[in-house]
Amino acid sequence: MGESRHGPRERMVFSAAQLIRRDGVAATGMREVAAHAGAPRGSLQHYFPGGKEQLVNEAVGWAGRYAGKRIARFLAGLEEPTPSGLFAAMVAQWTDEYTARGFAAGCPVAAATVDCASADGSTREAVAAAFTTWRAPLAEALTGMGVPAARAESLATLMISTLEGAILMSRAEQDAQPLTTAARELGPLLDAAVTPAG
Amino acid sequence: MGESRHGPRERMVFSAAQLIRRDGVAATGMREVAAHAGAPRGSLQHYFPGGKEQLVNEAVGWAGRYAGKRIARFLAGLEEPTPSGLFAAMVAQWTDEYTARGFAAGCPVAAATVDCASADGSTREAVAAAFTTWRAPLAEALTGMGVPAARAESLATLMISTLEGAILMSRAEQDAQPLTTAARELGPLLDAAVTPAG
DNA sequence: CGGCTACTATGACCGTGGTCATAATCGGCT
DNA sequence: AGCCGATTATGACCACGGTCATAGTAGCCG
């Protein structure tokens, strides 16, 4: 959607993220990325002289920024902002995709973590940074809802952990139930953390 | 530890699980598994005529049974069994490993899910089965503590989801905090589900 | 001893894929 | 037109790895 509006470089990063979250890092080929992006193969070494590692890192970074920006958009979509509502929206993004397009893909950051966390390249720092750029706006959103700052950090971490794990389990079982269960069970806990109601 | 007491076949399955949870499925080679297990290369096609797919599936199955059996052992290790105590023990297994041996490895079932969930081989069914053999005894343990059966299923799913996600995040950030946060934040929610206190 | 089964040994094949080298094109600018 | 940087094109190289083929060895049983 709207791929032609972006340059070929950005399209390749986007395609890399798509393929990585579906097949994993190791199983995603450079030629495959170029083909998926409709970009010429020769552009790979031109835009990514750092090779596959650079491309993967940028894909992970893109995913992290995307997730971070989504927080604000989810927040804007809630008529009455509550932690449980925000978490439900985060979960719904995945249940919607899974019911509409199947359980083909997971989170690209998770895939890169699994495939590259032990190989101490720059990719491990990239995934750490991605989680940070995801968690920071989430914690900020929680504080904006009345959650104490210290607690907000913990709950933001918990929300991302649970979401990532639920994505994983739902994909494995090809059933969105782990995702819906996470939203349902965690919601009250999150709402109970707002100060005026505590 | 005690590898020589098991046959070469079981050692290879065990080694496969070890390597998969560290490097991922695609990055783990058959020759590498044999070498890690101290087993002859020729035994691979003898014991695993189904090739890599069979070996990976058995490694995933082994991991699932291992996790399931751990539940009973954790339960036995608690002087006063509570859901939060059980979850804390599950988390502690990972924090102990990470503080003692570093953040090199994650969960093999998660790795197999990320790498093989879209390629619709038998591995996807293997990971689904692994999660089931993990969740069933966990849910049973919860009911034994006084959690209503319907709720126990949900909480077991939530516990595994959160644990898997926290493992992922901890590994990415090379910091056990997501794990400890998960145990701390989720504990009260779990204990509140026991009926006499509900 | 002969033979049979279980296991091990080893080399080769072949596809895949990341990377490099080299050249061609293209677009603007003077 | 002519130059130059940015981009694209294409083929080759090389390592890795899963798999197959073909033996060789070991141990037990009749």
Side-chain angles (χ1 to χ4, degrees):
Chain A
M1 20 163 57
E3 293 182 2
S4 50
R5 300 179 66 177
H6 303 325
R9 204 195 121 98
E10 190 167 356
R11 288 209 314 273
M12 281 190 280
V13 173
F14 179 79
S15 288
Q18 295 276 110
L19 295 173
I20 285 170
R21 89 195 190 95
R22 188 173 51 129
D23 302 320
V25 171
T28 297
M30 300 283 278
R31 293 166 171 86
E32 191 186 0
V33 171
H36 183 273
R41 211 189 88 196
S43 299
L44 280 172
Q45 65 180 297
H46 183 256
Y47 288 116
F48 308 97
K52 187 177 187 176
E53 187 170 348
Q54 181 186 358
L55 178 57
V56 170
N57 292 356
E58 297 206 22
V60 168
W62 180 88
R65 289 190 300 275
Y66 174 83
K69 289 177 186 169
R70 283 299 289 231
I71 300 296
R73 304 188 54 152
F74 286 143
L75 217 56
L78 299 174
E79 64 282 6
E80 183 184 358
T82 62
S84 67
L86 175 56
F87 188 62
M90 292 168 65
V91 168
Q93 179 182 15
W94 289 93
T95 55
D96 288 352
E97 172 184 337
Y98 284 163
T99 55
R101 277 177 290 281
F103 299 85
C107 170
V109 184
T113 301
V114 163
D115 280 358
C116 308
S118 81
D120 53 355
S122 55
T123 304
R124 211 225 85 248
E125 303 173 12
V127 293
F131 276 123
T132 297
T133 58
W134 185 5
R135 181 182 9 178
L138 178 54
E140 195 178 4
L142 291 177
T143 58
M145 292 170 178
V147 177
R151 192 85 192 287
E153 279 292 329
S154 290
L155 290 184
T157 301
L158 177 69
M159 288 165 79
I160 295 177
S161 288
T162 300
L163 177 58
E164 285 285 4
I167 290 166
L168 200 75
M169 260 184 108
S170 290
R171 208 149 93 91
E173 308 187 340
Q174 297 204 324
D175 186 338
Q177 203 170 34
L179 281 163
T180 57
T181 297
R184 173 169 34 86
E185 295 291 341
L186 218 56
L189 173 75
L190 299 173
D191 285 342
V194 300
T195 42
Chain B
M1 11 152 76
E3 293 182 1
S4 49
R5 298 179 66 178
H6 303 326
R9 204 197 121 99
E10 190 167 356
R11 288 209 314 271
M12 281 192 279
V13 172
F14 180 79
S15 288
Q18 295 276 110
L19 294 173
I20 285 170
R21 85 194 192 98
R22 188 172 52 129
D23 302 320
V25 172
T28 297
M30 300 282 278
R31 293 166 171 86
E32 191 186 1
V33 170
H36 184 274
R41 212 189 90 197
S43 299
L44 280 171
Q45 64 180 298
H46 183 257
Y47 288 117
F48 307 97
K52 187 176 187 177
E53 187 171 348
Q54 181 187 357
L55 178 58
V56 171
N57 292 357
E58 296 205 21
V60 168
W62 180 89
R65 287 189 301 273
Y66 174 82
K69 289 175 187 168
R70 283 301 290 230
I71 299 298
R73 304 189 54 150
F74 286 144
L75 217 55
L78 299 174
E79 65 283 4
E80 186 185 358
T82 61
S84 67
L86 176 57
F87 188 61
M90 293 168 64
V91 167
Q93 179 180 15
W94 288 94
T95 55
D96 290 351
E97 173 184 337
Y98 283 163
T99 55
R101 277 176 291 279
F103 299 85
C107 170
V109 184
T113 301
V114 163
D115 280 358
C116 308
S118 82
D120 53 354
S122 56
T123 304
R124 213 225 82 250
E125 303 173 12
V127 293
F131 276 124
T132 297
T133 59
W134 185 4
R135 181 183 10 182
L138 178 54
E140 193 178 6
L142 292 177
T143 56
M145 293 170 178
V147 178
R151 192 84 191 287
E153 279 292 328
S154 289
L155 290 184
T157 301
L158 177 69
M159 288 164 78
I160 295 177
S161 289
T162 300
L163 177 58
E164 285 285 3
I167 290 167
L168 200 77
M169 259 183 111
S170 290
R171 208 149 94 90
E173 307 186 341
Q174 297 204 325
D175 186 338
Q177 204 169 35
L179 280 164
T180 57
T181 297
R184 172 169 33 87
E185 294 291 343
L186 218 56
L189 173 74
L190 299 174
D191 284 342
V194 299
T195 43

